[in-house]
Amino acid sequence: MRDDDFAARGRRGRGKGRFDDDEPQFLKRGRPAEPVLTDPDPGPDDDAPGGDAWSTWDQAVHGPEPHPAWLVTELAARDTDLGVLKTGKEADVHLVRRAVPDTDRSCLLAVKRYRDAQHRLFHRDAGYLEGRRVRRSRENRAMAGRTAFGRQMIAGQWAAAEFAALSRLWEIGAEHGRIAVPYPVQLLGTELMLEFVGDPDEGLAAPRLAQCRPEPAELRSLWEQLVDALVVLARAGYAHGDLSPYNLLVHAGRLVMIDLPQVVDVVANPQGPEFLARDVRVVGAWFTARGLPADDSDPAALTALLLREAGIR
């Protein structure tokens, strides 16, 4: 297959996407109890029942402007934690309703909370963090030595890297429509608030690609969308770094890319091309196993195309 065949695939109009993230081993441990959707009860003070708290919008770094119309930004809003959407190795994702009391202004958010330095796993850090640097040598030494302070610095890098990547990709997707990611609402420390991907009325998250059994026409459409998204990533200088059917969602026929804390700078990271090639192999194998012709998902041809788009070859 010619390389430009990949670039020409999937120029279809697509709807908006939203959020979630996971890996296979956590799916096998059993799903957490479904969050319960309730009317927000702000209570009389900051100790109100139901996990309510004042909106942290005014304290946080905000996502790209213009902000979506559905997003509640009023400082009078309350955030109500409705339960855990999923657990992962480095973070848990909660479902949160942000609502302005005594009004009809509300929205559902997926809130990704990275665990503290004592309870996170950093077995993959070294390769992903190559090419990322902080200004001061003390921080670099602490990160390299995995001290308690260094682990906290790394946690901040994961969150900041994901927020930055989502912000950039959201803007690209809003302009060109070739990649869908959840809108990054805000970043506060190591907590990310993101657009909820799924049914907002029921609070049900969109299924992961790994959970889907698409018919041939849908399988083809999803593959074309994926190739488009990977080309956009490469042109932006990125590789996802941990791409699999478990961090791609399918929402209203649209493929939504999620879970980007380990996003790799393909040029600055010496292992960048290897991460990119692995991403292609993993997702390509899933599509081939579901019936996509092997010639259409040739990993060598697609990897070569993406490296050229990234300006490496």
Side-chain angles (χ1 to χ4, degrees), residues 98-130:
R98 174 169 286 177
V100 180
D102 302 320
T103 75
D104 60 359
R105 289 280 293 154
S106 70
C107 64
L108 286 181
L109 303 172
V111 180
K112 189 171 187 177
R113 295 170 180 155
Y114 283 88
R115 298 197 183 93
D116 64 66
Q118 299 302 317
H119 297 94
R120 297 184 62 221
L121 302 178
F122 289 102
H123 64 283
R124 302 180 301 170
D125 283 346
Y128 290 110
L129 292 177
E130 286 192 71

Side-chain angles (χ1 to χ4, degrees), residues 197-240:
V197 184
D199 183 341
D201 295 326
E202 299 294 333
L204 297 177
R208 298 166 183 82
L209 179 62
Q211 298 171 301
C212 300
R213 296 295 179 268
E215 295 297 323
E218 183 183 10
L219 185 74
R220 168 70 60 180
S221 173
L222 293 172
W223 172 252
E224 292 170 353
Q225 292 180 47
L226 178 60
V227 171
D228 266 358
L230 291 175
V231 167
V232 169
L233 276 174
R235 288 178 179 171
Y238 293 137
H240 184 284

Side-chain angles (χ1 to χ4, degrees), residues 21-287:
D21 87 355
D22 213 335
E23 292 201 11
Q25 55 266 45
F26 294 102
L27 290 177
K28 295 175 183 176
R29 294 179 186 175
R31 298 176 63 85
E34 292 291 346
V36 178
L37 291 183
T38 59
D39 291 332
D41 176 15
D45 52 39
D46 286 335
D47 297 322
D52 291 10
W54 289 112
S55 165
T56 54
W57 176 257
D58 62 333
Q59 307 168 41
V61 178
H62 302 156
E65 295 184 352
H67 304 307
W70 56 262
L71 179 61
V72 173
T73 61
E74 290 89 333
L75 300 185
R78 288 275 190 163
D79 290 346
T80 303
D81 194 321
L82 302 176
V84 177
L85 282 173
K86 80 104 202 165
T87 60
K89 290 191 294 295
E90 286 123 6
D92 295 329
V93 180
H94 290 242
L95 182 64
V96 168
R97 185 200 297 275
R98 174 169 286 177
V100 180
D102 302 320
T103 75
D104 60 359
R105 289 280 293 154
S106 70
C107 64
L108 286 181
L109 303 172
V111 180
K112 189 171 187 177
R113 295 170 180 155
Y114 283 88
R115 298 197 183 93
D116 64 66
Q118 299 302 317
H119 297 94
R120 297 184 62 221
L121 302 178
F122 289 102
H123 64 283
R124 302 180 301 170
D125 283 346
Y128 290 110
L129 292 177
E130 286 192 71
R132 297 186 197 172
R133 295 290 183 267
V134 295
R135 291 178 180 270
R136 289 173 288 189
S137 59
R138 173 176 176 257
E139 280 82 351
N140 280 319
R141 288 196 302 271
M143 289 167 60
R146 297 304 193 270
T147 65
F149 173 66
R151 291 196 301 271
Q152 192 62 43
M153 286 289 300
I154 292 171
Q157 281 214 2
W158 285 118
E162 182 165 25
F163 184 78
L166 286 171
S167 295
R168 186 173 181 188
L169 295 174
W170 171 268
E171 291 176 320
I172 294 172
E175 182 176 356
H176 301 291
R178 294 184 59 189
I179 188 169
V181 296
Y183 177 75
V185 172
Q186 67 178 57
L187 171 67
L188 182 61
T190 56
E191 179 183 88
L192 286 169
M193 284 191 170
L194 303 164
E195 183 182 9
F196 172 69
V197 184
D199 183 341
D201 295 326
E202 299 294 333
L204 297 177
R208 298 166 183 82
L209 179 62
Q211 298 171 301
C212 300
R213 296 295 179 268
E215 295 297 323
E218 183 183 10
L219 185 74
R220 168 70 60 180
S221 173
L222 293 172
W223 172 252
E224 292 170 353
Q225 292 180 47
L226 178 60
V227 171
D228 266 358
L230 291 175
V231 167
V232 169
L233 276 174
R235 288 178 179 171
Y238 293 137
H240 184 284
D242 196 26
L243 191 60
S244 81
Y246 293 90
N247 45 38
L248 293 164
L249 303 182
V250 180
H251 182 59
R254 184 78 194 268
L255 196 69
V256 183
M257 186 174 291
I258 59 168
D259 193 16
L260 288 142
Q262 71 295 308
V263 66
V264 173
D265 186 319
V266 181
V267 177
N269 189 319
Q271 300 180 54
E274 286 74 22
F275 281 118
L276 186 152
R278 188 182 66 184
D279 285 349
V280 170
R281 288 196 304 271
V282 171
V283 292
W286 187 89
F287 277 90

